[in-house]
């Protein structure tokens, strides 16, 4: 019997959205294994029987007599731990629709699930009554093109490379900060190695040869810290990075190579050495910038030694509990206008291709709506990427971001392949959930990563077992979205985050004798594989059943991937073919030619 309490659909959400200006995508959820088939009952709300009322939004007794419904088969899009997930695509002739779901269960059970109630429709007369009662159907009022999320198409074909500028390459030692340390010294939160944008320009040929075509930079604006998340001047590149001159040259050189450039927008907070904040420190509530920050009391700094400050209860709000990063009040009109002008400046003056939004979920939604309107008016295909580590559908309704950093997928991959912390079934469910969490046009532009400046490096999580790291990269490169390599990941750099050190932000290793060139060649092959099989970016994942506790298999179009997440050789049968995989090994197969790649 179908468990009615398990049936779920939410209108105007990731369950019901406009994929493009003509097409609706509809999803539905039922308890796992209880429903054999789901049919979408959908049609125009203004189609009525002769003599009926032409009132597509009527309710109650006036809503009977609707004859606009038609059956559209739904596909099983995926299975999570407790549920089956169904999907259908529909092009409404007049861009509007009312719809419900017909469920076919075991032993002839047949239900209609609508917005107001769920009813048995096995009896023909009962079915006629219920399927003509418009008041019980969900509504998608109209596909208004302005509301449709349109993500940049170029992102789908992009392989990103994240650069932490201070640790990538020192191209101009003469502009390095005072007290710069020798390249390769142990990194901390306070020391400097002299990396700059001139150095990045010198290494563009290296990046092009690797195969990447998107450069994502951690902050580059003037700031005292090596990470530059404590902005002092939003309008100028830090002089130790080469200033605006270096960045302008970098964008020009990157674009000539077909590479996109994405900057980090740190608009949640500012650095404590910013003239704006220093004015507040000096003048208190008389400062014209006093209302640009979330200040609880003046003076903002307690009149006692810093060693006695209560950092969890400062006189002003901050990012986390970092006193050096006071939080901006983006609700303030002047503050909002200032930050929006920053976004305009770097688009118009330097022709950047994307903004990665730092601590994006702590900034008000209305600011991001204004941000999107401005950015897209200047450069419609500019990529707007939010840093959100949790479920983020409220920011993905077409009025704010294009997509998110896909940390839920990161967690699933590292938990399964690197740490061995979850079983095969839990991994598959987590991945499936990541696909189903968002509309498909969001997933196409999702930013996939395995490590970043905020995390321990993948190889360290893998306990330096490069076989596990290869499985992780292989999985990421064959998933929907655009993959990202954190600088040095391609040559086997490791490093733990925390413990007073920043080993995950070590200097890039440039001497080939210290690079893992075999691992680099593997990454290059994955980039070529993704280009050869663009179906890696298809919206759904087809798991292939394998009776082995550590072997997973799936296909993306004509590409079949089989992976052994075990320290022992594994024999299994996949699609009727017997396969023997080495420990932490894999097989790639073209299902059309049966060629093993």
């Amino acid at each position: 019997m179908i468990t009615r309490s398990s049936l779920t659909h939410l209108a105007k959400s990731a369950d019901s959205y406009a994929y493009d200006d003509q097409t609706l995508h509809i999803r539905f959820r039922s308890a796992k294994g209880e429903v054999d088939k789901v049919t979408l009952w959908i049609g125009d709300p203004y189609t009525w029987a002769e003599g009926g009322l032409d009132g597509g939004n009527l309710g109650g007794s006036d809503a009977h007599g609707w004859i606009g419904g038609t059956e559209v088969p739904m596909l099983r899009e995926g299975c999570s731990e407790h549920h089956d997930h169904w999907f259908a695509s529909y092009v409404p002739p007049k861009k509007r629709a009312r719809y419900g779901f017909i469920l076919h269960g075991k032993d002839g059970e047949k239900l209609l699930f609508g917005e107001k109630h769920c009813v048995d429709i096995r009896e023909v007369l009962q079915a006629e009554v219920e399927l003509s009662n418009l008041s019980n159907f969900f509504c998608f009022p109209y596909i208004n093109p302005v509301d449709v999320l349109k993500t940049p198409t170029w992102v789908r074909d992009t392989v990103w490379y994240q650069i932490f500028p201070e640790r990538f390459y020192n191209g101009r030692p003469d502009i390095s900060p005072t007290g710069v340390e020798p390249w390769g010294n142990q990194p901390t939160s306070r020391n400097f190695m002299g990396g700059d944008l001139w150095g990045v320009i010198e290494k563009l040929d290296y990046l092009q040869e690797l195969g990447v075509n998107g450069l994502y930079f951690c902050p580059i604006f003037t700031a005292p810290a090596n990470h530059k998340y404590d902005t002092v001047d939003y309008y100028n590149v830090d002089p130790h990075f080469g200033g605006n001159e270096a960045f302008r040259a970098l964008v020009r050189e990157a674009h000539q190579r077909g590479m996109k450039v994405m900057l980090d927008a740190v608009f949640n907070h500012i650095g404590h050495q910013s003239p704006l904040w220093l004015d507040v420190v000096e003048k208190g509530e008389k400062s014209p910038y006093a209302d640009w920050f979330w200040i609880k009391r003046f003076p903002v700094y307690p009149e006692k030694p810093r060693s006695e400050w209560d950092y969890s209860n400062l006189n002003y709000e901050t990012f986390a509990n970092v006193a050096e990063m006071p939080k901006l009040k983006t609700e303030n009109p002047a503050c909002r206008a200032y930050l929006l002008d920053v976004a305009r400046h770097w688009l118009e003056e330097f022709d950047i291709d994307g903004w990665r939004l730092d601590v994006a979920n702590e900034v008000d939604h209305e600011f991001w709506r204004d941000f999107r309107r401005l950015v897209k008016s200047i450069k419609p295909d500019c990529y707007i990427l939010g840093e959100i580590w949790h479920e983020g559908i409220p920011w993905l309704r077409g009025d704010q971001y294009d997509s998110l950093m896909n940390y839920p997928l990161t967690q699933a991959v590292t938990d399964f392949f690197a740490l061995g912390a979850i079983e095969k079934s839990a991994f598959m469910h987590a991945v499936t959930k990541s696909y189903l969490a968002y509309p498909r046009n969001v997933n196409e532009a999702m930013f996939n990563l395995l490590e970043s400046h905020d995390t321990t490096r993948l190889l360290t999580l893998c306990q330096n077992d490069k076989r596990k790291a290869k499985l992780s990269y292989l999985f990421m490169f064959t998933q929907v979205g655009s993959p990202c390599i954190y600088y040095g990941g391609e040559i086997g750099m490791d490093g733990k985050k925390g413990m007073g050190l920043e080993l995950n932000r070590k200097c890039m290793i440039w001497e080939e004798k210290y690079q893992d060139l075999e691992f680099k060649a593997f990454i290059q092959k994955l980039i070529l594989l993704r280009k050869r099989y663009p179906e890696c970016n298809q919206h759904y994942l087809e798991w292939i059943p394998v009776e082995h506790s550590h072997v997973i298999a799936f296909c993306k179009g004509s590409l079949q991937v089989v992976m052994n997440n075990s320290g022992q050789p594994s024999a299994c049968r996949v699609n009727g073919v017997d396969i023997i995989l080495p420990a932490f090994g894999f097989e790639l197969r073209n299902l059309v030619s049966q060629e093993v790649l």
Side-chain angles (χ1 to χ4, degrees), residues 169-188:
Y169 187 65
N170 189 336
R172 296 277 180 89
D174 57 299
I175 62 173
S176 296
T178 302
V180 67
E181 298 184 13
W183 194 258
N185 267 17
Q186 192 171 62
T188 70

Side-chain angles (χ1 to χ4, degrees), residues 26-44:
I26 306 293
R27 286 169 164 155
F28 183 74
R29 193 184 77 180
S30 62
K32 196 169 185 176
E34 288 189 353
V35 177
D36 290 336
K37 183 176 74 170
V38 179
T39 300
L40 177 67
W41 183 255
I42 189 168
D44 190 274

Side-chain angles (χ1 to χ4, degrees), residues 106-231:
K106 314 296 181 183
D107 303 321
E109 190 175 8
K110 187 176 181 180
L111 301 178
L112 172 65
F113 181 86
E115 184 179 59
K116 294 181 174 61
H117 61 265
C118 183
V119 61
D120 190 318
I121 58 169
R122 277 176 287 192
E123 296 293 333
V124 174
L125 292 179
Q126 182 70 12
E128 289 179 355
V129 170
E130 295 297 336
L131 292 175
S132 66
N133 180 7
L134 190 72
S135 67
N136 188 34
F137 292 112
F138 296 94
C139 182
F140 200 101
Y142 200 81
I143 301 178
N144 292 291
V146 71
D147 294 331
V148 179
L149 175 61
K150 296 178 175 67
T151 56
T153 56
W154 59 263
V155 175
R156 305 169 196 175
D157 301 317
T158 301
V159 175
W160 294 98
Y161 192 90
Q162 182 187 355
I163 295 175
F164 192 88
E166 217 284 318
R167 305 285 164 76
F168 189 64
Y169 187 65
N170 189 336
R172 296 277 180 89
D174 57 299
I175 62 173
S176 296
T178 302
V180 67
E181 298 184 13
W183 194 258
N185 267 17
Q186 192 171 62
T188 70
S189 61
R190 298 187 180 276
N191 61 0
F192 292 85
M193 308 294 183
D196 54 52
L197 298 186
W198 295 116
V200 176
I201 293 173
E202 283 191 46
K203 297 301 181 181
L204 285 178
D205 287 344
Y206 167 87
L207 296 173
Q208 188 172 26
E209 184 257 346
L210 181 63
V212 302
N213 57 352
L215 306 179
Y216 153 42
F217 288 91
C218 288
I220 63 173
F221 305 145
T222 303
N226 56 36
H227 53 68
K228 307 300 178 194
Y229 282 95
D230 53 343
T231 313

